[in-house]
Amino acid sequence: TVAQLEDLGVRRISTGGSIARACYATLHSAAEKLASEGTFGYMNDVISDPAMSAFFKTPTKANLGLG
């Protein structure tokens, strides 16, 4: 975990493209469901516009729901 790495003295963690790939996987899954089933179930997990705006304005643990 990040906390474990911090305890070991790690100050910077590189995720490479893994966060982008996680986003692409969600996009891929939503597109597949829409194309194959005609359903919009992916909308159950979307982030609200105000939450997205707050995140991009100042990405902090608080507006990520982490603190």
Side-chain angles (χ1 to χ4, degrees):
T1 66
V2 172
Q4 290 170 321
L5 291 171
E6 286 174 345
D7 289 345
L8 293 171
V10 173
R11 295 179 12 182
R12 182 176 181 275
I13 301 167
S14 176
T15 61
S18 65
I19 293 174
R21 286 192 307 276
C23 293
Y24 296 143
T26 300
L27 175 64
H28 183 262
S29 176
E32 277 188 327
K33 291 275 188 186
L34 187 57
S36 66
E37 301 173 13
T39 60
F40 298 90
Y42 65 88
M43 292 294 292
N44 296 331
D45 299 318
V46 298
I47 187 171
S48 70
D49 286 337
M52 184 64 83
S53 293
F55 173 77
F56 281 108
K57 182 177 181 181
T58 309
T60 65
K61 287 183 178 182
N63 66 30
L64 289 173
L66 301 173

